[in-house]
């Protein structure tokens, strides 16, 4: 079965500091990995995805994520946080080998960027 | 339309009543997903459509929940005899065919259902 874990319910960071939102996954085969962001009263917005290739993936709004196969992680990062980055972030995985068409989402991590 | 449209945006219903939630996906998107988002629970998968068929409905929590999709487009999620534990935000997402790589899923803004 495929699963994803976001070990932190909340991450607090000061504006201008680097941020990391953690995600680990478990699949039988190779993973497709995604990050989404949700602003209040809005649907989820796509940030970035890892399918294959370069382990460092760059996405929207200056975010990037690093795929680490040995640690089964796909942490979301940004070099310099903005107050406007404050939102709920979801990691998702889909197992290629399993042939599932259904992505599994994590519980979400609330990012709070303080001025 | 340009995005995934869900209606109503908010629904308050009395316990025991039936409700219908509507999702209008992006034109041409063959895959459609329903998820439920409860406070502190993340996103819970409900059902997946490919065209008009539902190859995976394993996430529907009980037989009070059903969904259909017509014309490969609009989908309706129906909850019969609503219970208070059904209160949540119901999200719909659509994506293009997989022959175009691994397309991202585009989500609607959701329907906030409150059962009183």
């Amino acid at each position: 079965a495929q699963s994803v874990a976001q070990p932190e319910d909340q991450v607090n960071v000061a504006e201008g500091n680097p941020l990391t939102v953690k995600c680990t996954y478990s699949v039988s085969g190779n993973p497709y990995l995604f990050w989404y962001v949700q602003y209040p009263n809005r649907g989820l917005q796509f940030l970035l995805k890892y399918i294959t290739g370069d382990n460092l993936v760059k996405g929207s709004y200056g975010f990037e994520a690093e795929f680490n196969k040995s640690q089964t992680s796909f942490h979301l990062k940004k070099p310099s946080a903005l107050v406007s980055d404050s939102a709920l972030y979801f990691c998702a995985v889909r197992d290629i080998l399993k042939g599932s068409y259904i992505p599994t989402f994590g519980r979400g991590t609330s990012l709070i960027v303080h001025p | 339309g340009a995005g995934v449209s869900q209606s109503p945006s908010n629904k308050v219903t009395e316990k025991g009543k039936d409700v219908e939630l509507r999702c209008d996906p992006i034109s041409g998107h063959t895959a459609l997903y329903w998820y439920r988002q409860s406070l502190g629970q993340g996103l819970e998968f409900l059902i997946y459509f490919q065209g008009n068929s539902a190859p995976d409905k394993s996430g529907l929590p009980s037989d009070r929940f059903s969904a259909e999709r017509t014309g490969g487009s609009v989908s309706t999620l129906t909850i019969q005899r609503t219970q208070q534990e059904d209160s949540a935000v119901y999200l719909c997402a659509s994506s293009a065919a997989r022959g175009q790589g691994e397309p991202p899923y585009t989500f609607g803004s959701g329907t906030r259902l409150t059962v009183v």
Side-chain angles (χ1 to χ4, degrees), chain A:
Chain A
Q2 61 191 31
S3 66
V4 63
Q6 294 181 242
E8 303 155 316
D9 289 336
Q10 185 172 303
V11 170
N12 291 276
V13 64
E15 187 175 31
N17 283 0
L19 70 87
T20 298
V21 182
K22 296 179 180 177
C23 172
T24 59
Y25 67 90
S26 175
V27 296
S28 302
N30 292 322
Y32 286 160
L33 291 154
F34 307 83
W35 274 101
Y36 283 79
V37 60
Q38 185 179 35
Y39 297 100
N41 300 314
R42 302 288 298 276
L44 277 68
Q45 298 178 29
F46 172 74
L47 277 179
L48 51 79
K49 65 181 179 182
Y50 172 82
I51 305 299
T52 187
D54 195 348
N55 288 344
L56 185 63
V57 179
K58 294 188 183 297
S60 307
Y61 312 121
F63 284 93
E64 59 188 28
E66 185 168 11
F67 172 65
N68 188 317
K69 188 171 184 178
S70 63
Q71 296 185 7
T72 62
S73 67
F74 190 58
H75 301 331
L76 182 70
K77 300 182 180 184
K78 188 173 182 180
S80 178
L82 299 173
V83 173
S84 57
D85 293 329
S86 298
L88 191 57
Y89 290 80
F90 289 93
C91 181
V93 67
R94 188 171 82 80
D95 189 338
I96 304 169
L97 186 64
K98 191 72 172 175
S100 169
Y101 290 107
I102 316 302
T104 298
F105 285 80
R107 294 163 62 96
T109 298
S110 177
L111 173 66
I112 300 174
V113 181
H114 302 277

